[in-house]
Structures are given as structure tokens and as C-alpha cells.
Amino acid sequence: MTQMKSALVLASGNAGKMQEFQALLPTYSLVSQTLFNVPEIEETGTTFVENAILKARHTAKISNLPAIADDSGLVVAALHDAPAVYSARYAGKGATDSENIAKLLRELDGISTIHRHAYFFCVLVLMRHAEDPCPLIAQGRWEGVILEEPRGKHGFGYDPIFGVPSHSCSAAELTLEIKNTLSHRAQALAQLQREISQQAHH
């Protein structure tokens, strides 16, 4: 018997995220929250976990389907772990990727390479329904350094200035296939898939 793909709503309207999730979750029929006219919810949490839960619950409630949300961001040691949960709005609400990147580079101006360590962090939350008391939570962390200037055309967000030491390039110079074997989101999704399959066998 062929197994039907389970429908899952991605609590994001970000096309770049949608592309990465589709490649990483082939067993699910993934749809964007925009199909259900889910309005963006204000991310009032102070941690990635809080924000991911807020988004997943909000989307599950409006779509009446299981929802997956990710909250991820860049953590820079030299900036006291900023921008973290404020990564998408670091240069202000509605800021573009290039505005956020420009602000980050200004903040790090004059800081030498050895002190430019950073990592991307991702928390994923899968809620089977809006009142799910036991959502599945997974996380991933991708270590790197902040480059002096943007490089590469792939990816989104801070990818052009996130240096990947193992490949001597920026995250935006990696193909999606390679990025999906390294990234914080790929690691979190792999962990989530393990949890899903464990539950399926109980």
C-alpha cells in the first residue's frame, strides 16, 4: 500500500525557507501558510524556542492542519550574542537582508577575523494541532565566521557574510544541495525526522 504524504503547513511566507524545507522533508506534502492567508504573528519571545512555538501554534490554529515553524538566526560572540532572535529585523522592522548585513558589518568594523566567530541557530517546532501539549522540538547549530564583505549569490539572510571554514567560502557560495548537508536547518530537520520516526514506531 502506498503511503499518502502527510500535509504539513510551513509557518512562513519566506520562499527561500520553503525551498530548503521542501528539499529536506520529501515525505511531507509541504504547503506555505500564505495559502491559508495566515497573517504574520508578532514574535514576542526572547528565545528561538518561544518564537517557534508561537508561530507553529498560530498557523496550526488558522489552517486546521499540522504546522511546522522554525525560528532561526545568527549569533555573533563579539556582539554579545546579537542579533539572535532579532536577526530578521536587526536593522529595523521590515529591513531587507542587505540592510541587516550592512548593519552587522558596521558593528564588526575593526574586529579581527579571530574574533569574528558566529553560528547560525535553528529551532524547529512541529505541532500536530493548535492545542498540542507535546510538540516535537528539534534544534541545529552551524559554526562559522563573519566575513569582511558579502560573497556569493545563493541562499538568503546573512548567508553572503557567513564564512564556512570547512569549504573556505560563504554560505551564499554553496549550492543548495551542499548547504542542505551542513546548515543549522538541515541539522534540526534531521533531528526532527528521527523524532517523527521514533514516534511512528511506538
Side-chain angles (χ1 to χ4, degrees):
M1 192 173 91
T2 38
Q3 204 178 359
M4 290 275 291
K5 277 192 177 188
S6 305
L8 190 60
V9 184
L10 177 63
S12 172
N14 183 312
K17 275 189 189 178
M18 186 71 183
Q19 193 183 10
E20 286 188 13
F21 273 97
Q22 276 181 322
L24 289 161
L25 278 176
T27 51
Y28 282 89
S29 175
L30 199 63
V31 289
S32 168
Q33 68 173 20
T34 48
L35 281 181
F36 298 91
N37 299 315
V38 176
E40 294 287 333
I41 190 171
E42 198 178 344
E43 294 176 28
T44 52
T46 56
T47 63
F48 293 113
V49 175
E50 288 172 304
N51 282 336
I53 288 172
L54 277 172
K55 291 189 276 192
R57 183 180 289 131
H58 176 67
T59 299
K61 191 173 183 177
I62 292 172
S63 68
N64 269 326
L65 283 168
I68 186 169
D70 105 303
D71 200 51
S72 48
L74 183 66
V75 180
V76 183
L79 300 178
H80 306 289
D81 291 342
V85 294
Y86 305 104
S87 292
R89 50 192 190 278
Y90 191 44
K93 206 170 175 181
T96 63
D97 288 349
S98 45
E99 286 166 345
N100 287 328
I101 284 172
K103 179 177 179 181
L104 193 81
L105 290 178
R106 279 197 306 275
E107 300 280 339
L108 288 173
D109 193 35
I111 292 177
S112 66
T113 310
I114 56 165
H115 297 301
R116 293 170 80 101
H117 170 257
Y119 61 88
F120 274 128
F121 194 73
C122 170
V123 171
L124 288 181
V125 170
L126 194 153
M127 295 193 99
R128 285 155 285 230
H129 52 83
E131 307 304 320
D132 190 348
C134 307
L136 294 182
I137 299 174
Q139 61 186 48
R141 179 172 165 148
W142 190 15
E143 306 283 344
V145 293
I146 302 299
L147 303 172
E148 305 268 340
E149 57 184 24
R151 287 165 49 183
K153 300 280 180 238
H154 303 296
F156 60 96
Y158 294 92
D159 286 357
I161 56 165
F162 186 76
V164 184
S166 59
H167 288 64
S168 306
C169 68
S170 78
E173 291 174 301
L174 297 170
T175 63
L176 184 59
E177 290 71 27
I178 293 173
K179 184 184 177 186
N180 281 347
T181 64
L182 302 168
S183 80
H184 52 311
R185 197 165 289 116
Q187 292 174 43
L189 272 165
Q191 189 185 339
L192 189 72
Q193 283 174 310
R194 287 194 295 273
E195 288 193 36
I196 291 167
S197 58
Q198 276 171 359
Q199 290 218 344
H201 293 113
H202 277 291

